[in-house]
């Protein structure tokens, strides 16, 4: 019977795997941790590898992943290739599937997220605020955000930034009505809320089949800004559910961990700071590669300073004697390649450093020659220790790439510009091919197209920094219409191209914009762009309008109106500014001002049916019944599938007293979108008018099941319960409505009436006084206050 123990050869092979030498203590600490059960106080749930570029962080992380797999763990590795939490989950699901563990429900929701997000970014969709009388100051602010974020504008244009999940998190509940279901709304507005509990559930299932699950998050200096808050919530709170105890997380970046956020987690975390190799480690790696001649070893140690990526690169080149050691003043690049005698390979290695990442097609563009020759050189390049591979594409290590770029730029400025121009043209052709079949408004929603545009812009900036910068900034402004996840790579691009091309303007601008985005987000970034503008940039009007959108989402509506005015002063025909100013005015109750903007909007964009519907909705809010019905009917004629237009016309009919017409419209709207909470709540008013209290309550129950944190819906159901003599139950809904919107005058008045019905007259009067303080011109509240006073004076203790 054969032994199940590994052989000596196998163990030696493991230790020599991929030429990995050194980091003995770090590997041992991680391996020991996997020998400890999670309940052991010595067990650590989080390892953080950190150190300067070139110290071998990624190689160590990959080694830790291999150690984990040898221990039977399921593993996931992600790096800067992900741009957000949902993308991280996509990579996680894909890698678990490759290891035989499908996360089917997570995969389904991720696919739905991508589809819903794409629909939201490319379709012209509408929604609207509740039109209670009178609206409170707090609810008006929410209505403005709802209108801009989801209701009444085409998010493929200026308002797509409203889909930025961080900015919309607090208002998501108010905005759900525009989606097919509550889940759809959350998948777009706050995908982490929907996806993370499912991820944790899937991990729990996987945790039952493997001793460990190890999640490795590399290049954390780039992914940390969006992953770190989420990871902290997942690991230290139960906000999303329980994380299995046999999960170990490894993060790796240039900076130490954020102690302000993770300080209380210190007892459960191990820091692995990395510096250059010790002399013994460097000698061990060189010996492992057959480099043992002492003068050569000494020269390698001197040239590299023990930096692992450089030691490995020089060792791989195979110097054979002291005669190979050249002038110590030679450039770093010559040192990396000095023992590679094939001039074609040396030239190919230098040329391959020009793109940020490359596949064989891009490599062929930059090295030229036949397809076979380029393929052979590319195969050789993939074996070099200073490159890493992800998804079939090769990427140089920054420590090696930077001096290679500098060498080429300084030796031949003309050749540098020509090669980058050739690469820009190649990416431009790819981008043009990717545009086939896509409408113009869909391009920025397509991740593949955006990546090609980024690479094209990078090479243009490297070739002609001064000439290309205005176009890159214009693209950055356009990216701002699609949220911070789309903006972030463009900001990074400016900094990278500025550094690589030694272009001070681009480098400085990239750094400033990065800090602005990390501070107050898009509004600050756009203001910085505008402050630095020369005054003749064609994108300035768009930037002011986009900044206004961001200010509306932040509740700074007066400042937003100023920015919309600035945008229109620069470009009186800017559609997104007219639309933004209209919905902001409408959200503030200035319906006449909004209608003036909408009239102009229809002059500029007459064929867009949503503009007609938008104007019809504002006529409804302004109580212009005939005009509202006319516009909404025209919108329905142009787009019979618009559930919003049908529901809005139904609401107009209901207010006008035409209950049969209203019921028909609401039924059609709900036939198109059964989970349309706003239509359900509005139809409940029709049932109220028809005296059908049972159906009224049924519709309100369905609406609140879909949208539980909806102040207006809560107040409506409270009213329905109160009319049916169920005041105690009504109080719960009124209380919740006021928690959600403390400035809701109608909810105070209605709660006051229920309190009076229950004989709690002093509390009732307090609420009714509050309602009148919020809205002095509130006849029903004044009438109910007088009635409550008379009941108190008469000793009426309310219903038994």
């Amino acid at each position: 019977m054969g032994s199940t123990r590994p052989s000596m050869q196998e163990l030696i092979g493991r230790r020599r795997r991929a030429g990995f030498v050194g980091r003995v203590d770090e590997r041992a600490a991680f391996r020991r941790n996997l020998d400890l059960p999670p309940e052991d106080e010595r067990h650590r749930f989080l390892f953080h590898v950190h150190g300067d570029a070139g110290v071998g962080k990624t190689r160590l992380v990959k080694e830790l992943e291999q150690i984990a797999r040898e221990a039977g763990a399921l593993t996931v590795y992600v790096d800067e290739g992900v741009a957000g939490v949902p993308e991280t989950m996509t990579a996680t699901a894909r890698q678990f599937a490759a290891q035989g563990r499908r996360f089917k429900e997570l995969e389904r929701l991720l696919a739905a997220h991508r589809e819903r997000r794409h629909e939201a970014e490319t379709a012209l969709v509408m929604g609207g605020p509740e039109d209670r009388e009178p609206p409170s100051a707090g609810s008006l602010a929410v209505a403005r955000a709802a209108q801009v974020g989801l209701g009444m504008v085409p998010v493929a244009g200026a308002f797509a930034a409203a889909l930025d999940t961080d900015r919309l998190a607090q208002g998501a509940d108010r905005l759900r009505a525009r989606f097919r279901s509550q889940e759809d709304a959350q998948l777009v507005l706050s995908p982490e809320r929907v996806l993370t509990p499912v991820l944790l559930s899937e991990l729990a299932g996987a945790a039952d089949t493997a001793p460990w699950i190890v999640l490795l998050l590399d290049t954390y200096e780039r992914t940390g800004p969006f992953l770190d808050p989420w990871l902290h919530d997942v690991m230290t709170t139960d906000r999303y559910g329980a994380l299995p105890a046999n999960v170990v997380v490894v993060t790796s970046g240039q900076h130490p961990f954020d102690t302000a956020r993770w300080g209380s987690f210190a007892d459960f975390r191990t820091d692995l700071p990395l510096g250059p190799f010790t002399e013994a480690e460097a000698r061990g790696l060189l010996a492992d590669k057959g480099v043992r001649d002492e003068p050569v070893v000494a020269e390698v140690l001197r040239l590299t300073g023990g930096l692992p990526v450089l030691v490995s690169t020089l060792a791989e080149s195979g110097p054979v004697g002291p005669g190979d050691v050249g002038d110590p003043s030679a450039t770093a690049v010559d040192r990396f390649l000095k023992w590679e005698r094939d001039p074609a390979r040396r030239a190919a290695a230098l040329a391959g450093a020009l793109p940020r990442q490359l596949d064989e097609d891009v490599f062929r563009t930059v090295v030229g020659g036949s397809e076979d020759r380029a393929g052979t050189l590319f195969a050789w390049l993939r074996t070099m220790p200073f490159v890493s591979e992800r998804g079939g594409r090769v990427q140089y290590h920054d420590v090696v790439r930077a001096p290679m770029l500098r060498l080429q730029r300084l030796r031949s400025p003309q050749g540098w510009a020509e090669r980058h121009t050739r690469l820009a043209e190649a990416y431009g052709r790819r981008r043009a091919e990717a545009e086939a079949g896509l409408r113009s408004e869909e391009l920025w929603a397509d991740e593949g197209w955006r990546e090609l545009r980024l690479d094209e812009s990078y090479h243009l900036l490297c070739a002609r920094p001064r000439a290309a910068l205005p176009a890159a900034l214009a693209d950055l402004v356009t990216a701002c219409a699609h949220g911070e996840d789309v903006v972030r790579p463009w900001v990074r691009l400016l900094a990278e191209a500025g550094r690589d091309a030694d272009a001070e303007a681009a480098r400085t601008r990239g750094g400033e914009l990065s800090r602005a985005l990390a501070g107050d987000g898009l509004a600050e970034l756009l203001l910085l762009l505008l402050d630095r503008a020369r005054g003749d940039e064609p994108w300035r009007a768009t930037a002011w309008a986009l900044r206004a959108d961001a200010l509306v989402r932040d509740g700074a509506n007066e400042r937003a109106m100023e920015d919309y005015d600035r945008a229109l002063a620069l470009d009186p025909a800017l559609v997104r500014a007219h639309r933004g100013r209209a919905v902001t005015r409408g959200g503030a109750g200035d319906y006449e001002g909004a209608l003036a903007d909408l009239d102009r909007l229809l002059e500029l964009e007459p064929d867009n049916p949503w503009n007609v519907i938008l104007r019809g909705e504002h006529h409804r809010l302004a109580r212009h019944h005939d005009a509202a019905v006319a516009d909404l009917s025209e919108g329905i004629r142009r787009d019979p599938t618009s559930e919003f237009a049908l529901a809005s016309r139904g609401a107009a009919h209901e207010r006008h007293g035409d209950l049969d017409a209203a019921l028909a419209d609401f039924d059609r709207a709900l036939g198109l979108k059964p989970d349309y909470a706003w239509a359900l709540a509005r139809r409940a008013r029709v049932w109220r008018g028809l005296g059908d209290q049972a159906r009224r309550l049924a519709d309100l129950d369905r609406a609140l099941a879909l949208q539980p944190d909806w102040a207006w819906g809560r107040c409506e159901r409270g009213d329905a319960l109160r009319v049916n003599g169920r005041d105690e139950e009504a109080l719960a809904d009124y209380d919740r409505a006021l928690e959600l919107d403390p400035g809701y005058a109608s909810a105070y008045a209605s709660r006051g009436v229920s309190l009076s019905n229950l004989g709690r007259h002093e509390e009732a009067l307090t609420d009714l006084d509050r309602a009148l303080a919020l809205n002095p011109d509130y006849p029903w509240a004044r009438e109910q206050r007088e009635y409550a006073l008379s009941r108190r004076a008469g000793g009426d203790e309310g219903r038994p």
Side-chain angles (χ1 to χ4, degrees):
M1 190 171 175
S3 171
T4 59
R5 293 182 177 179
S7 67
M8 179 184 297
Q9 290 86 349
E10 288 173 322
L11 291 174
I12 292 173
R14 290 179 187 176
R15 295 182 187 181
R16 294 170 60 94
R17 183 179 51 248
F20 194 94
V21 176
R23 308 309 184 196
V24 175
D25 292 341
E26 291 83 358
R27 289 183 290 158
F30 185 76
R31 190 178 284 111
R32 283 195 303 270
N33 196 64
L34 298 182
D35 292 333
L36 298 171
E39 297 80 12
D40 193 309
E41 291 188 356
R42 294 169 295 172
H43 179 80
R44 295 295 181 262
F45 298 101
L46 176 63
F47 286 78
H48 182 57
V49 179
H50 60 95
D52 294 334
V55 297
K57 298 185 296 296
T58 294
R59 296 195 73 186
L60 175 59
V61 169
K62 290 289 190 179
E63 176 69 7
L64 299 184
E65 181 180 27
Q66 189 60 36
I67 290 171
R69 290 199 173 189
E70 289 171 358
L74 295 167
T75 68
V76 171
Y77 171 88
V78 297
D79 56 16
E80 76 273 17
V82 300
V85 173
E87 288 189 17
T88 301
M89 295 192 201
T90 298
T92 298
R94 184 172 60 249
Q95 291 180 46
F96 268 97
Q99 295 169 77
R101 180 75 195 191
R102 286 286 302 278
F103 283 7
K104 294 182 180 179
E105 179 61 12
L106 181 62
E107 290 174 5
R108 181 188 72 81
L109 286 173
L110 284 165
H113 161 72
R114 291 189 292 270
E115 183 179 349
R116 296 291 89 78
R117 177 96 183 203
H118 180 75
E119 290 174 357
E121 289 178 343
T122 59
L124 299 177
V125 290
M126 292 184 62
E130 312 86 350
D131 64 327
R132 58 180 180 269
E133 296 297 336
S136 70
S139 64
L140 282 176
V142 173
R144 284 192 292 270
Q147 285 174 310
V148 172
L150 289 186
M152 309 171 64
V153 294
V155 295
F159 298 92
L163 298 176
D164 180 354
T165 54
D166 291 337
R167 295 292 185 183
L168 285 178
Q170 294 182 343
D173 292 327
R174 306 294 184 101
L175 307 177
R176 288 193 186 98
R178 85 174 255 249
F179 294 97
R180 300 173 189 172
S181 66
Q182 183 182 5
E183 181 180 273
D184 279 356
Q186 291 288 347
L187 277 172
V188 172
L189 298 174
S190 187
E192 292 88 347
R193 293 186 184 180
V194 178
L195 297 172
T196 307
V198 177
L199 171 67
L200 296 183
S201 176
E202 302 272 27
L203 287 174
D208 293 335
T209 66
W212 298 103
I213 294 174
V214 179
L215 310 178
L216 305 108
L217 311 178
D218 203 359
T219 56
Y220 209 60
E221 68 274 8
R222 293 190 173 181
T223 60
F226 54 83
L227 281 184
D228 199 54
W230 172 78
L231 181 65
H232 182 268
D233 280 347
V234 167
M235 294 191 71
T236 68
T237 76
D238 58 0
R239 177 180 180 185
Y240 300 115
L243 184 67
N246 61 337
V247 171
V248 175
V249 177
V250 178
T251 56
S252 171
Q254 293 185 11
H255 312 299
F257 234 49
D258 181 358
T259 55
R261 175 174 286 143
W262 291 89
S264 61
F265 204 69
D267 291 343
F268 309 95
R269 184 185 81 239
T270 291
D271 282 331
L272 298 177
L274 297 187
F277 273 164
T278 64
E279 182 175 334
E281 288 174 325
R283 286 179 176 275
L285 189 150
L286 291 169
D288 191 62
K289 298 293 184 181
V291 180
R292 296 183 176 86
D293 187 78
E294 183 56 31
V296 175
V297 170
E299 178 66 356
V300 169
L301 294 176
R302 186 184 67 82
L303 294 177
T304 64
L307 201 61
V309 68
L310 303 187
V311 174
S312 179
T313 297
L314 295 181
E316 197 70 36
S317 301
V320 296
D324 290 325
V325 180
D327 182 352
S329 65
T331 67
V333 174
D334 287 333
R335 292 165 183 173
F336 300 154
L337 300 174
K338 75 187 294 63
W339 292 300
E340 178 52 65
R341 293 175 172 80
D342 185 342
R345 286 182 174 181
R346 289 172 60 89
L350 284 169
L354 292 171
R356 298 189 304 160
Q357 53 188 358
L358 66 158
D359 56 23
E360 190 169 340
D361 292 335
V362 175
F363 184 71
R364 189 181 308 119
T365 297
V366 75
V367 300
S370 68
E371 185 173 338
D372 288 344
R373 176 179 177 275
T376 300
L377 288 172
F378 188 66
W380 165 78
L381 183 65
R382 290 170 60 187
T383 68
M384 291 295 96
F386 54 77
V387 303
S388 59
E389 190 166 352
R390 183 178 68 238
R393 292 188 291 183
V394 164
Q395 190 168 15
Y396 280 55
H397 195 289
D398 286 345
V399 172
V400 175
R401 181 172 180 257
M404 285 186 173
L405 293 176
R406 186 168 57 252
L407 174 68
Q408 295 178 84
R409 190 184 74 248
L410 295 176
R411 278 186 177 175
S412 176
Q414 185 62 35
W416 164 273
E418 289 173 354
R419 284 184 166 182
H420 279 292
T421 298
R422 190 160 65 246
L423 282 164
E425 291 170 348
Y427 278 112
R429 288 191 294 272
R430 284 192 179 187
R431 174 183 54 77
E433 292 170 1
E435 291 172 1
L438 292 176
R439 297 190 303 272
S440 59
E441 64 270 18
E442 293 178 315
L443 297 179
W444 283 88
D446 187 279
E447 183 180 355
W449 182 91
R450 293 198 309 265
E451 188 64 32
L452 292 169
R453 182 72 167 177
L454 279 165
D455 284 322
E456 179 186 10
S457 297
Y458 169 81
H459 291 294
L460 288 172
L461 283 165
C462 286
R464 297 180 298 277
R466 188 181 300 275
L469 183 57
L473 293 175
D475 276 349
L476 175 59
V477 171
T478 303
C480 288
H482 299 267
E484 290 189 15
D485 286 351
V486 176
V487 171
R488 197 174 289 114
W490 282 92
V491 172
R492 189 184 304 156
L493 171 78
L494 289 174
E496 289 179 0
R499 177 197 64 210
D500 296 343
D502 194 26
E504 181 63 26
R507 180 170 57 242
T508 301
R509 192 71 59 91
E512 291 175 339
L513 293 171
S514 179
R515 290 187 291 274
L517 189 63
D520 290 338
L522 289 177
E524 184 176 341
L525 178 143
L526 285 160
L527 182 60
L528 179 62
L529 276 172
L530 288 159
D531 285 344
R532 297 290 189 272
R534 297 189 308 269
D536 59 349
E537 287 87 346
W539 46 258
R540 284 188 304 140
T542 298
W544 281 118
L546 288 170
R547 183 170 185 270
D549 301 341
L551 290 170
V552 168
R553 292 193 303 277
D554 292 340
N557 300 290
E558 291 184 6
R559 291 164 58 200
M561 289 296 295
E562 294 173 359
D563 284 355
Y564 285 130
D565 290 343
R566 290 188 178 102
L568 290 170
L570 291 167
D571 183 358
L574 185 60
V575 165
R576 66 183 64 191
H578 281 290
R579 185 179 288 116
R581 191 169 69 176
V583 296
T584 304
R585 282 175 165 171
D590 180 10
Y591 303 128
E592 299 303 329
L595 287 167
D597 274 330
L598 292 168
D599 287 341
R600 176 60 176 147
L601 182 62
L602 276 163
E603 293 175 8
L604 295 168
E605 201 176 57
D607 296 329
N608 186 342
W610 296 112
N611 292 338
V612 182
I613 296 169
L614 181 59
R615 189 173 68 176
E617 169 67 358
H618 277 81
H619 276 305
R620 182 185 74 83
L621 293 170
R623 302 198 176 190
H624 302 159
H625 174 74
D626 292 341
V629 171
D631 271 350
L632 292 167
S633 297
E634 174 60 17
I636 292 166
R637 185 191 68 79
R638 297 187 190 186
D639 183 4
T641 64
S642 173
E643 70 276 359
F644 177 82
L646 285 162
S648 182
R649 189 175 69 176
H653 285 315
E654 183 273 327
R655 175 172 296 188
H656 199 61
D658 191 349
L659 299 184
D660 289 337
L663 188 60
D665 277 345
F666 286 129
D667 286 347
R668 284 180 63 189
L670 288 163
L672 291 166
K673 182 179 178 181
D675 293 337
Y676 194 170
W678 191 81
L680 286 165
R682 298 299 310 196
R683 189 172 69 175
R685 287 193 165 188
V686 177
W687 297 128
R688 178 187 67 183
L690 294 172
D692 193 333
Q693 298 298 332
R695 286 182 173 174
R696 179 188 182 189
L697 272 171
D699 272 355
L700 288 167
D701 286 343
R702 282 182 60 197
L704 286 168
L706 294 165
Q707 196 168 328
D709 296 334
W710 187 14
W712 184 76
R714 289 282 176 185
C715 191
E716 287 287 299
R717 189 171 70 174
D719 290 345
L721 292 167
R722 174 171 53 79
V723 168
N724 281 274
R726 297 161 64 178
D727 287 287
E728 288 285 359
E729 295 173 74
L731 286 179
D733 274 335
Y734 294 140
D735 289 346
R736 181 59 181 147
L738 289 167
E739 286 178 14
L740 294 166
D741 184 357
Y744 193 169
S746 295
Y748 280 111
S750 293
R751 188 172 70 174
V753 174
S754 277
L755 288 167
S756 182
N757 288 341
L758 294 169
R760 297 160 61 179
H761 301 304
E762 295 301 330
E763 295 173 76
L765 288 168
T766 298
D767 272 354
L768 289 162
D769 286 343
R770 177 62 175 152
L772 288 165
L774 288 166
N775 180 26
D777 185 20
Y778 196 169
W780 186 78
R782 193 169 301 283
E783 175 187 321
Q784 294 301 318
R785 184 178 185 279
E786 294 301 321
Y787 186 46
L789 284 169
S790 67
R791 295 177 77 178
R792 183 183 67 173
D796 183 353
E797 295 302 321
R799 294 193 183 97

